[in-house]
Amino acid sequence: MKVTIFGSGYVGLVTGACLADAGNDVVCMDVDQGKIERLNQGEVPIYEPGLDELIHRNSEAGRLRFTNDADLAVAHGLLQFIAVGTPPDEDGSADLQYVLAVARSIGERMDDYKVVVNKSTVPVGTADKVRMTIARVLEERGEKLPFSVVSNPEFLKEGAAINDFTKPDRVVVGSEDERATRLMRELYAPFSRNHDKLILMDVRSAELTKYAANAMLATKISFMNELAGLAERLGADIESVRHGIGSDPRIGYHFIYPGCGYGGSCFPKDVKALARTARGANFEPLILDAVEAVNGRQKQVLFRRLEEHFHGDLAGRTIALWGLAFKPNTDDMREAPSRELMEALWAVGARVRAFDPEAMEETRRIYGERDDLALCDGPYQAVEGADVLAICTEWQVFRSPDFQRIKGQLRTPAIFDGRNLYDPRSLNDLGFVYYAIGRGDSVRGNGA
């Protein structure tokens, strides 16, 4: 099938590469000429395991092309995917200017039937706006051309996106048009060979499903973080509690790991946008507001503990920081807890020595060169000469370090673990002061 994808960001590139790998003829369109030039030279602008190889293989085979020529893009695809950004406005609502700009572009150039597929995460009612935008442009052109607008939200986890696309749990399609539905079934058939994974519903329900999924997962995280705070005050261990409740199949183990808060491009933005949608419908989103408030508080936990540990005297201190990306297996630092921690430390005169396996260049892009930030070549280089160690991301490389080496490098043998990577008693026995999330006062040793 001939497919056009507007937007060569995370969702657009993964979608385009995976559809091309299934044999489709895909053109990815982006207005950023520099990005298109880099992609045509084989440079992939984001880190996602396996994506480089997938893009290179399909580009060389001629199934995947990149362009900033809107005429070519609209003429190419029977299916026109919209996968552009929907950044939050000041009030938390999703900004649809890029989505509607693509809709106008399609309406201005189409000369035959098109299926316009909303892949971007958009508020309920966006498909209606896209439909009205295209219809208005066609009317201005004096054309009466058939088209369909469907919703096909993405459910990709950063770090596992290719597997999520090629082996999906479900493919949600919001469509009220039989022709468009048939084409969407054909497009996704290679990814549903064991059984039909396509879940068909009306467009508005599909749009809400995406927000509901992310809000539910964010809710589970914030709920566990709230329980972690309670566990600390009661002298309980949240890890034991997690095992106790996770074994219940009605709850399960997914997304019940306490930590220093969630980040990324989806959860923070989508919770805010859904809450804004609720208020626009005269409905008070009590749980969504609480989810966001708990996460905001949780992102401050590591800084507050550092302040308490040093009795409010952080000026001139050096903090080693392991993990800058908001989660492992990505270089994405949007809304990352590490950013809130670093910025709070800098505000009180502390310095940071940081390492992340993938997000170092992204950190340089965001913060530039600073006297109070040293980006180190490895985890032990970050620890060398620092006062204490803080951990914000649970990369695999951090799970089994040489603790004796760390203890010899730190000025004070103290670890502030925002992801509960280590066994508290083992670290106490090694002479560390170990601050974890929700693991009770008993985990804090005296050091040596």
Side-chain angles (χ1 to χ4, degrees), residues 3-184:
V3 179
T4 293
I5 297 175
F6 283 86
S8 295
Y10 186 85
V11 173
L13 286 177
V14 172
T15 301
C18 290
L19 289 176
D21 206 49
N24 297 291
D25 183 2
V26 179
V27 167
C28 289
M29 156 72 196
D30 202 287
V31 296
D32 185 339
Q33 185 173 351
K35 180 186 289 186
I36 293 300
E37 289 175 354
R38 292 195 299 275
L39 284 163
N40 282 326
Q41 292 167 4
E43 180 184 337
V44 180
I46 60 172
Y47 174 73
E48 175 64 31
L51 184 60
D52 284 41
E53 179 188 351
L54 203 62
I55 288 176
H56 294 154
R57 179 168 72 239
N58 287 283
S59 295
E60 289 175 2
R63 293 188 297 266
L64 181 61
R65 290 172 286 159
F66 302 98
T67 185
N68 57 7
D69 184 341
D71 291 338
L72 183 155
V74 175
H76 173 79
L78 170 60
L79 294 157
Q80 302 270 316
F81 277 76
I82 302 178
V84 295
T86 54
D89 270 341
E90 291 181 6
D91 63 358
S93 62
D95 184 350
L96 296 178
Q97 63 171 311
Y98 305 113
V99 171
L100 298 181
V102 172
R104 283 191 296 273
S105 186
I106 294 170
E108 289 165 355
R109 293 168 172 83
M110 61 183 286
D111 58 8
D112 200 356
Y113 175 73
K114 301 291 183 184
V115 179
V116 180
V117 184
N118 275 337
K119 197 71 174 171
S120 300
T121 300
V122 293
V124 176
T126 299
D128 294 336
K129 294 179 179 179
V130 169
R131 187 180 295 109
M132 288 188 291
T133 299
I134 295 174
R136 185 168 56 251
V137 173
L138 288 174
E139 184 179 358
E140 291 169 356
R141 290 175 56 195
E143 298 280 1
K144 290 186 178 180
L145 297 171
F147 68 93
S148 304
V149 178
V150 305
S151 175
N152 175 218
E154 55 86 13
F155 299 97
L156 306 176
K157 298 186 297 291
E158 293 194 41
I162 292 172
N163 188 69
D164 287 345
F165 194 100
T166 57
K167 300 175 183 177
D169 299 316
R170 76 285 202 199
V171 177
V172 172
V173 173
S175 173
E176 289 137 29
D177 179 280
E178 190 172 329
R179 184 179 180 184
T181 301
R182 186 178 71 251
L183 289 168
M184 293 298 286

Side-chain angles (χ1 to χ4, degrees), residues 220-235:
K220 292 182 74 173
I221 295 169
S222 280
F223 178 72
M224 285 305 292
N225 282 333
E226 185 153 86
L227 281 184
L230 179 60
E232 288 178 359
R233 286 155 180 79
L234 298 177

